[in-house]
Amino acid sequence: MLSSIKLSPSSFTSTGFLPNRRSIPAPQFSPLPIIKSLHSAFPTQSFSSQKPLHVASIDNLAISKNTQQRKIECQAYEADRSRPLDINIELPDEDARLEAAKRIKIGIYFATWWALNVVFNIYNKKVLNAFPFPWLTSTLSLAAGSLLMLISWATRVADAPKTDFEFWKTLFPVAVAHTIGHVAATVSMSKVAVSFTHIIKSGEPAFSVLVSRFLLGDSFPMPVYLSLVPIIGGCALSALTELNFNMTGFMGAMISNLAFVFRNIFSKKGMNGKSVSGMNYYACLSMLSLLILTPFAIAVEGHQLWAVGWQKAVSQIGPNFVWWVVAQSVFYHLYNQVSYMSLDQISPLTFSIGNTMKRISVIVSSIIIFHTPVQPINALGAAIAILGTFLYSQ
């Protein structure tokens, strides 16, 4: 039951309540005030309550300049008849929030990865058109990435990874697969259009499913296998109708597909249980791949051919050719580094899906920039392959 205590100006005079403008000691409040006697504070009034009171509100507190009197209105209710506050606080689902943040992070990784890959493919094709030495071009890409990471570690921009012999032993098969896939893709782009190489490489999910099924023993639902039909059929249709078809370019793209599937699977296994981040993992991978590739590049092409080809390219293109080489090397490392940061968060199959969807932007941009002639039936084959990839992802 609510009780109301009203104190009017007539109840307290300036001599009884504020004598000679002396300061009033600050009242001491407690969560459960009990008013027993106020004789000491108010000599002219006395009252008491046998039950504790909860203070509900204090309104209209004012001091008149003329009378220097104070009016206080206090409302209270008895503690044994108090009512709970109707407050409903909903806490956000922590798991859902973390999952949403993770999806946003992966989305940013994918968008950055695709943009950097488009820039790399443009400069890579420009370099290969003027300097048709894919083995050296591949070596320079790995060398640039290795140098960038060594500088980052030395300047403490990035923390150097703590590795041991077991780490490098596990990394070796990944580096072999990465080296083969990298060189095969570069050889393919040196022989055929960038769009054709990436149309063939859009069949990577088919290789991923087949390798996972027959070598790793993984099983998939029937719709997954059915989605491979348009992927394989679309790639085959594009290959048959390609105006500038080249068997070396076609086989290079196919070998690159197979090699990169093994690289992704081995990478995921090697990254599990390791303290090395995706960025540093790819840095170590680049360095080991560079050591593997360099002697083969020298044996296949040779430094004498490189010198002649370099002079010819510089004489035809000018100093810009050097910047093309630097750009394709740096952007190759950056897009792969971001892709490995993505692989650190997702499965190899999801990585292959993102890798395939990335090719849409690469195919379209390369056709526009290099004015690649495309027949309607060839474009239909590419669309069917991409549609199959979309169905596969669903």
Side-chain angles (χ1 to χ4, degrees), residues 310-343:
W310 186 272
Q311 292 177 356
K312 182 179 178 181
V314 172
S315 62
Q316 292 178 349
I317 307 300
N320 285 336
F321 173 74
V322 179
W323 293 110
W324 291 358
V325 174
V326 173
Q328 73 91 22
S329 301
V330 172
F331 278 102
Y332 174 80
H333 173 77
L334 292 178
Y335 100 76
N336 274 285
Q337 187 179 74
V338 175
S339 72
Y340 262 79
M341 293 169 68
S342 303
L343 185 59

Side-chain angles (χ1 to χ4, degrees), residues 233-388:
C235 291
L237 183 61
S238 295
L240 292 174
T241 57
E242 174 64 25
L243 294 176
N244 299 316
F245 179 82
N246 181 278
M247 182 57 68
T248 302
F250 174 76
M251 292 305 300
M254 296 290 285
I255 293 172
S256 177
N257 278 340
L258 186 61
F260 281 150
V261 167
F262 279 106
R263 182 198 67 175
N264 296 340
I265 293 174
F266 292 150
S267 295
K268 193 62 179 180
K269 288 185 175 181
M271 292 171 70
N272 286 337
K274 297 292 184 181
S275 59
V276 179
S277 64
M279 180 180 65
N280 284 335
Y281 188 90
Y282 179 71
C284 296
L285 176 61
S286 295
M287 296 174 187
L288 188 54
S289 295
L290 178 62
L291 295 177
I292 296 173
L293 178 58
T294 301
F296 287 96
I298 296 174
V300 173
E301 293 176 346
H303 64 280
Q304 294 180 350
L305 291 177
W306 293 342
V308 174
W310 186 272
Q311 292 177 356
K312 182 179 178 181
V314 172
S315 62
Q316 292 178 349
I317 307 300
N320 285 336
F321 173 74
V322 179
W323 293 110
W324 291 358
V325 174
V326 173
Q328 73 91 22
S329 301
V330 172
F331 278 102
Y332 174 80
H333 173 77
L334 292 178
Y335 100 76
N336 274 285
Q337 187 179 74
V338 175
S339 72
Y340 262 79
M341 293 169 68
S342 303
L343 185 59
D344 203 9
Q345 307 287 330
I346 58 180
S347 67
L349 287 178
T350 305
F351 181 85
S352 295
I353 295 171
N355 200 27
T356 304
M357 299 304 292
K358 167 205 69 179
R359 302 195 191 284
I360 299 176
S361 57
V362 174
I363 292 171
V364 173
S365 61
S366 64
I367 291 175
I368 295 174
I369 292 175
F370 295 108
H371 306 286
T372 306
V374 179
Q375 291 183 334
I377 191 68
N378 186 268
L380 178 62
I384 292 174
I386 293 172
L387 175 61

Side-chain angles (χ1 to χ4, degrees), residues 146-167:
S146 301
L147 180 61
L148 285 175
M149 289 309 301
L150 288 175
I151 295 175
S152 299
W153 293 340
T155 57
R156 301 293 181 89
V157 174
D159 295 331
K162 297 179 180 179
T163 61
D164 51 16
F165 177 77
E166 187 66 25
F167 170 81

Side-chain angles (χ1 to χ4, degrees), residues 124 128 180-190 197 201 252-253 256 260:
N124 190 47
L128 291 173
I180 295 174
H182 177 37
V183 173
T186 308
V187 169
S188 176
M189 280 188 283
S190 68
T197 297
K201 285 176 67 63
S256 177
F260 281 150

Side-chain angles (χ1 to χ4, degrees), residues 5-317:
I5 303 172
K6 293 190 177 181
L7 306 179
S8 62
S10 60
S11 300
F12 307 99
T13 63
S14 60
T15 57
F17 187 69
L18 297 171
N20 299 328
R21 300 184 181 179
R22 288 179 296 177
S23 61
I24 304 174
Q28 300 296 323
F29 293 100
S30 66
L32 192 63
I34 301 176
I35 304 174
K36 292 183 178 180
S37 177
L38 299 179
H39 282 290
S40 58
F42 309 103
T44 61
Q45 299 288 338
S46 65
F47 53 87
S48 66
S49 175
Q50 296 180 354
K51 296 181 180 180
L53 298 178
H54 285 294
V55 176
S57 64
I58 298 177
D59 301 323
N60 302 325
L61 177 62
I63 300 177
S64 174
K65 294 183 179 179
N66 298 327
T67 61
Q68 296 183 356
Q69 293 179 340
R70 178 174 296 180
K71 178 181 179 180
I72 301 176
E73 182 176 348
C74 178
Q75 296 179 350
Y77 60 89
E78 295 179 0
D80 61 345
R81 296 187 182 182
S82 62
R83 294 172 295 177
L85 296 177
D86 187 13
I87 299 177
N88 185 17
I89 301 176
E90 295 183 0
L91 296 177
D93 189 349
E94 187 68 16
D95 293 338
R97 187 182 66 83
L98 293 176
E99 183 65 23
K102 181 179 179 181
R103 289 179 180 273
I104 294 174
K105 181 180 179 180
I106 293 175
I108 295 174
Y109 281 164
F110 272 30
T112 306
W113 170 25
W114 297 347
L116 293 173
N117 187 259
V118 169
V119 177
F120 158 72
N121 277 278
I122 293 172
Y123 280 107
N124 190 47
K125 185 60 178 176
K126 286 185 175 183
V127 170
L128 291 173
N129 286 340
F131 185 73
F133 295 93
W135 288 77
L136 176 60
T137 303
S138 302
T139 305
L140 292 176
S141 300
L142 296 174
S146 301
L147 180 61
L148 285 175
M149 289 309 301
L150 288 175
I151 295 175
S152 299
W153 293 340
T155 57
R156 301 293 181 89
V157 174
D159 295 331
K162 297 179 180 179
T163 61
D164 51 16
F165 177 77
E166 187 66 25
F167 170 81
W168 293 101
K169 180 181 177 181
T170 307
L171 186 65
F172 183 77
V174 183
V176 172
H178 178 70
T179 303
I180 295 174
H182 177 37
V183 173
T186 308
V187 169
S188 176
M189 280 188 283
S190 68
K191 299 296 183 180
V192 295
V194 175
S195 57
F196 178 70
T197 297
H198 282 275
I199 290 173
I200 302 304
K201 285 176 67 63
S202 65
E204 186 175 320
F207 287 87
S208 182
V209 170
L210 295 177
V211 169
S212 299
R213 175 66 182 88
F214 294 105
L215 295 184
L216 302 180
D218 296 337
S219 60
F220 303 95
M222 183 56 65
V224 173
Y225 295 106
L226 294 178
S227 68
L228 301 182
V229 175
I231 295 177
I232 298 174
C235 291
L237 183 61
S238 295
L240 292 174
T241 57
E242 174 64 25
L243 294 176
N244 299 316
F245 179 82
N246 181 278
M247 182 57 68
T248 302
F250 174 76
M251 292 305 300
M254 296 290 285
I255 293 172
S256 177
N257 278 340
L258 186 61
F260 281 150
V261 167
F262 279 106
R263 182 198 67 175
N264 296 340
I265 293 174
F266 292 150
S267 295
K268 193 62 179 180
K269 288 185 175 181
M271 292 171 70
N272 286 337
K274 297 292 184 181
S275 59
V276 179
S277 64
M279 180 180 65
N280 284 335
Y281 188 90
Y282 179 71
C284 296
L285 176 61
S286 295
M287 296 174 187
L288 188 54
S289 295
L290 178 62
L291 295 177
I292 296 173
L293 178 58
T294 301
F296 287 96
I298 296 174
V300 173
E301 293 176 346
H303 64 280
Q304 294 180 350
L305 291 177
W306 293 342
V308 174
W310 186 272
Q311 292 177 356
K312 182 179 178 181
V314 172
S315 62
Q316 292 178 349
I317 307 300

